[in-house]
Amino acid sequence: MNVHDSEYMATLLEEAGYREASTLKKADVILLNTCAVRQKAEEKVYSLLGRLKFLKKKRPDIIIGVGGCVAQKEGERILKRMPHVDLVFGTHQFYHVAEFIEKVRQNRARICCVDFSYQLEPPRRIIPLPRESKVRAYVTIMQGCNNFCTYCIVPYVRGREVSRRSEDIIEEIKRLLDMGIKEVILLGQNVNSYGQDRSDEISFAELLRRINKLPGLKRLRFITSHPKDISKELIRAFGELETLCEYIHLPVQSGSDRILKMMNRKYTRSDYLRKIESLRKVRPDIAISTDLIVGFPGETEADFKETLSILKEVEYDTIFAFKYSDRPPAKAVTFKDKVREEVKKERLERVLALQAPITERKNKALEGKVVEVLLDTYSKRGNQLSGRTRCHRVVNVAAENGLLGQLVKVKIKEALAHSLRGEVVS
Ligand code: SF4
């Protein structure tokens, strides 16, 4: 979501006459779009802002702005703590970024605007242009969250759920397809609760059906889903819609019913497992990834073993595991029995050690197989083309630059820890 919000701001600023600077030192305006979901991310923002102080000292005319979730959470505190910051704008204010910069420039006044506007359509309709890829684009379909999981700051910094009108979403996707986009990733903090906040809208599954019919679309994905909102209609869509890729990110967070209840996740371990089973019934080759938290307050060794056992039971393709950290004002901050840091660290290591061979085995199973890859970027080392399979695995191939942006068939030669290596066969 943040990457896409940054694309939005970059497009707005280009329309207002700004150009991307080649280096930080050459920039006249420096904007940080920030994430507050974990404490570490927030610390990084303050650390980078601290370093920017020296740049501002040398060039007092530059404008430094902070947007996104840390800006929303901290507001005026950033201006107090960081006298060299000129602008703080919240998650609902980024449409106005160019106006804010202009005001700072003209009045040399410092601005802080973190009001929630609950308006998802920009004042002027623009298509945020993808930066990282010419063939893959993000489209926000809703934002905010009503769930208040007890560890999570998102409802406080993104506000309540607001769904966009389906006609606006489809119009935006049509325009992206006209520009040559082949893969669309629908975005929302709680993407599959799309439409539940308004009586005049279609369901998420129906939205997928309508998008699936658009000429030119090759691949459709969405992120991030809540297990409680995985409907039967959505599960059926995985078996029926040809553009809907066989991949789902479905955060489980814990394998223990006691902890899931304390987290206010609104599903049990068996509800979750039933949904995984149904998804695999309609799409046996579906790749599944998850998020999980270790060391939630009160998590005992027995609770933690339930998390280990769900990993063994589901056999995820990949996982994103994190140590719990307090995120005020989320409710779990007040929970007793905080787990000691060294225990959290040890549990995280055990989770990762359990998952590594599962991921490796699943990747190895692809060796020798021919898969469809959308080549849309260069590999990290820059000497190969890189893309993703329909099941979201990264594949690097030695190929002509002319294949950039193409869907190709690739034979997988080697499975590495975090990517696959292959050769184009057609
Ligand atoms: S569903 Fe829970 S974890 Fe996800 S954004 Fe909402 S409150 Fe946070």
Side-chain angles (χ1 to χ4, degrees), residues 144-149 151-155 189-190 226 253 265:
C145 182
N146 297 345
N147 290 320
F148 289 90
C149 300
Y151 53 83
C152 182
I153 197 173
V154 165
Q189 265 83 34
N190 201 15
H226 195 300
Q253 306 301 9
R265 289 291 287 171

Side-chain angles (χ1 to χ4, degrees), residues 319-423:
I319 64 164
F320 302 89
F322 306 98
K323 291 184 286 178
Y324 169 84
S325 62
D326 274 344
R327 304 307 296 128
K331 201 170 167 193
V333 172
T334 62
F335 290 3
K336 303 239 164 17
D337 296 331
K338 293 278 160 60
V339 176
R340 281 182 294 123
E341 195 53 37
E342 59 269 31
V343 176
K344 285 194 265 184
K345 187 167 171 273
E346 184 245 4
R347 287 183 184 166
L348 183 62
E349 282 163 8
R350 283 162 70 193
V351 158
L352 298 176
L354 175 67
Q355 179 60 34
I358 301 175
T359 300
E360 194 183 326
R361 182 164 42 76
K362 294 209 163 205
N363 285 348
K364 280 258 176 238
L366 289 170
E367 284 182 357
K369 297 237 163 79
V370 174
V371 294
E372 181 200 272
V373 178
L374 179 58
L375 293 171
D376 71 331
T377 184
Y378 292 94
S379 63
K380 279 199 177 133
R381 286 193 197 144
N383 56 348
Q384 293 188 322
L385 295 186
S386 184
R388 289 196 184 253
T389 62
R390 283 178 59 98
C391 59
H392 214 235
R393 285 180 169 83
V394 173
V395 181
N396 295 319
V397 295
E400 298 289 320
N401 283 354
L403 285 182
L404 198 63
Q406 300 296 316
L407 271 172
V408 291
K409 295 279 182 210
V410 171
K411 185 165 188 181
I412 302 302
K413 292 287 183 188
E414 193 184 1
L416 307 167
H418 303 291
S419 61
L420 304 167
R421 204 178 50 78
E423 93 189 2

Side-chain angles (χ1 to χ4, degrees), residues 113-157:
C113 186
V114 290
D115 301 340
F116 278 148
S117 68
Y118 289 106
Q119 172 200 353
L120 263 185
E121 296 310 320
R124 232 164 1 98
R125 196 63 62 83
I126 63 154
I127 299 292
L129 298 176
R131 308 265 138 184
E132 290 172 4
S133 167
K134 295 274 178 273
V135 285
R136 180 165 28 90
Y138 297 109
V139 174
T140 299
I141 65 163
M142 58 85 67
Q143 84 148 294
C145 182
N146 297 345
N147 290 320
F148 289 90
C149 300
T150 56
Y151 53 83
C152 182
I153 197 173
V154 165
Y156 303 94
V157 290

Side-chain angles (χ1 to χ4, degrees), residues 241-255:
L241 308 184
E242 60 279 14
T243 64
L244 186 59
C245 291
E246 50 275 28
Y247 168 72
I248 188 166
H249 181 69
L250 200 57
V252 66
Q253 306 301 9
S254 170

Side-chain angles (χ1 to χ4, degrees), residues 226-295:
H226 195 300
K228 78 172 171 52
D229 295 315
I230 298 283
S231 63
K232 287 190 178 134
E233 198 191 358
L234 176 56
I235 292 172
R236 270 200 309 278
F238 271 101
E240 292 168 3
L241 308 184
E242 60 279 14
T243 64
L244 186 59
C245 291
E246 50 275 28
Y247 168 72
I248 188 166
H249 181 69
L250 200 57
V252 66
Q253 306 301 9
S254 170
S256 151
D257 278 342
R258 199 179 72 84
I259 297 295
L260 286 173
K261 195 155 189 228
M262 286 170 71
M263 287 175 163
N264 192 31
R265 289 291 287 171
K266 303 185 185 102
Y267 54 85
T268 62
R269 175 191 175 104
S270 59
D271 295 336
Y272 182 91
L273 288 172
R274 262 198 306 276
K275 291 194 174 175
I276 296 276
E277 198 188 328
S278 307
L279 283 163
R280 283 184 167 152
K281 211 173 259 170
V282 297
R283 208 65 219 243
D285 54 349
I286 194 166
I288 303 172
S289 61
T290 200
D291 292 332
L292 57 89
I293 295 171
V294 298

Side-chain angles (χ1 to χ4, degrees), residues 298-316:
E299 184 190 69
T300 62
E301 177 65 18
D303 292 317
F304 174 65
K305 282 193 171 142
E306 293 279 296
T307 297
L308 292 180
S309 83
I310 207 166
L311 289 188
K312 284 190 214 154
E313 201 165 337
V314 175
E315 298 206 318
Y316 293 101

